mmCIF file of all heavy atoms in Angstrom:
data_model
loop_
_atom_site.group_PDB
_atom_site.id
_atom_site.type_symbol
_atom_site.label_atom_id
_atom_site.label_comp_id
_atom_site.label_asym_id
_atom_site.label_seq_id
_atom_site.Cartn_x
_atom_site.Cartn_y
_atom_site.Cartn_z
ATOM 1 N N ARG P 259 86.190 104.928 85.602
ATOM 2 C CA ARG P 259 85.302 105.407 86.689
ATOM 3 C C ARG P 259 85.335 106.980 86.787
ATOM 4 O O ARG P 259 84.495 107.487 87.418
ATOM 5 C CB ARG P 259 85.800 104.954 88.142
ATOM 6 C CG ARG P 259 85.689 103.478 88.344
ATOM 7 C CD ARG P 259 86.520 103.092 89.548
ATOM 8 N NE ARG P 259 86.399 101.651 89.761
ATOM 9 C CZ ARG P 259 85.477 101.075 90.432
ATOM 10 N NH1 ARG P 259 84.577 101.749 90.946
ATOM 11 N NH2 ARG P 259 85.473 99.792 90.609
ATOM 12 N N SER P 338 78.475 109.265 90.405
ATOM 13 C CA SER P 338 78.966 107.846 90.637
ATOM 14 C C SER P 338 78.529 106.976 89.411
ATOM 15 O O SER P 338 77.770 106.133 89.562
ATOM 16 C CB SER P 338 78.501 107.352 91.951
ATOM 17 O OG SER P 338 77.048 107.375 91.939
ATOM 18 N N ALA P 340 80.034 105.019 85.728
ATOM 19 C CA ALA P 340 81.237 104.558 85.091
ATOM 20 C C ALA P 340 80.929 104.113 83.620
ATOM 21 O O ALA P 340 79.820 103.838 83.394
ATOM 22 C CB ALA P 340 81.781 103.297 85.913
ATOM 23 N N VAL P 384 77.150 103.013 83.259
ATOM 24 C CA VAL P 384 76.245 102.295 84.243
ATOM 25 C C VAL P 384 76.573 102.846 85.620
ATOM 26 O O VAL P 384 77.545 103.664 85.759
ATOM 27 C CB VAL P 384 76.710 100.810 84.248
ATOM 28 C CG1 VAL P 384 76.324 100.131 82.909
ATOM 29 C CG2 VAL P 384 78.114 100.536 84.585
ATOM 30 N N ASP P 385 75.804 102.473 86.622
ATOM 31 C CA ASP P 385 76.110 102.864 87.946
ATOM 32 C C ASP P 385 77.483 102.354 88.360
ATOM 33 O O ASP P 385 77.865 101.197 88.159
ATOM 34 C CB ASP P 385 75.028 102.220 88.882
ATOM 35 C CG ASP P 385 75.061 102.707 90.340
ATOM 36 O OD1 ASP P 385 76.214 102.956 90.828
ATOM 37 O OD2 ASP P 385 74.054 102.843 90.941
ATOM 38 N N ALA P 386 78.325 103.319 88.981
ATOM 39 C CA ALA P 386 79.673 102.925 89.268
ATOM 40 C C ALA P 386 79.798 101.624 90.137
ATOM 41 O O ALA P 386 80.831 100.928 90.005
ATOM 42 C CB ALA P 386 80.402 104.075 89.912
ATOM 43 N N LYS P 387 78.804 101.368 90.938
ATOM 44 C CA LYS P 387 78.961 100.184 91.855
ATOM 45 C C LYS P 387 78.897 98.881 91.060
ATOM 46 O O LYS P 387 79.277 97.845 91.576
ATOM 47 C CB LYS P 387 77.968 100.232 92.961
ATOM 48 C CG LYS P 387 76.510 100.007 92.613
ATOM 49 C CD LYS P 387 75.689 99.968 93.989
ATOM 50 C CE LYS P 387 74.174 99.718 93.705
ATOM 51 N NZ LYS P 387 73.416 100.877 93.597
ATOM 52 N N PHE P 388 78.436 98.907 89.829
ATOM 53 C CA PHE P 388 78.455 97.639 89.059
ATOM 54 C C PHE P 388 79.604 97.396 88.071
ATOM 55 O O PHE P 388 79.650 96.496 87.276
ATOM 56 C CB PHE P 388 77.137 97.611 88.204
ATOM 57 C CG PHE P 388 75.908 97.510 88.991
ATOM 58 C CD1 PHE P 388 74.853 98.390 88.808
ATOM 59 C CD2 PHE P 388 75.766 96.573 90.014
ATOM 60 C CE1 PHE P 388 73.727 98.371 89.517
ATOM 61 C CE2 PHE P 388 74.648 96.495 90.706
ATOM 62 C CZ PHE P 388 73.568 97.328 90.640
ATOM 63 N N VAL P 389 80.611 98.338 88.185
ATOM 64 C CA VAL P 389 81.519 98.363 87.019
ATOM 65 C C VAL P 389 82.335 97.121 86.938
ATOM 66 O O VAL P 389 82.621 96.543 85.880
ATOM 67 C CB VAL P 389 82.457 99.613 87.123
ATOM 68 C CG1 VAL P 389 83.248 99.634 88.343
ATOM 69 C CG2 VAL P 389 83.355 99.762 85.932
ATOM 70 N N GLU P 390 82.716 96.601 88.116
ATOM 71 C CA GLU P 390 83.555 95.375 88.062
ATOM 72 C C GLU P 390 82.832 94.156 87.602
ATOM 73 O O GLU P 390 83.297 93.392 86.774
ATOM 74 C CB GLU P 390 84.280 95.092 89.402
ATOM 75 C CG GLU P 390 85.117 96.251 89.776
ATOM 76 C CD GLU P 390 86.189 96.019 90.943
ATOM 77 O OE1 GLU P 390 86.069 94.917 91.519
ATOM 78 O OE2 GLU P 390 87.024 96.819 91.142
ATOM 79 N N LEU P 391 81.642 94.030 88.022
ATOM 80 C CA LEU P 391 80.757 92.991 87.548
ATOM 81 C C LEU P 391 80.506 93.022 86.090
ATOM 82 O O LEU P 391 80.611 92.098 85.332
ATOM 83 C CB LEU P 391 79.367 93.045 88.314
ATOM 84 C CG LEU P 391 78.314 92.057 87.897
ATOM 85 C CD1 LEU P 391 78.758 90.607 88.187
ATOM 86 C CD2 LEU P 391 76.923 92.407 88.541
#
Side-chain angles (χ1 to χ4, degrees):
R259 289 165 184 277
S338 58
V384 299
D385 188 324
K387 68 173 183 268
F388 295 129
V389 65
E390 299 198 349
L391 175 63

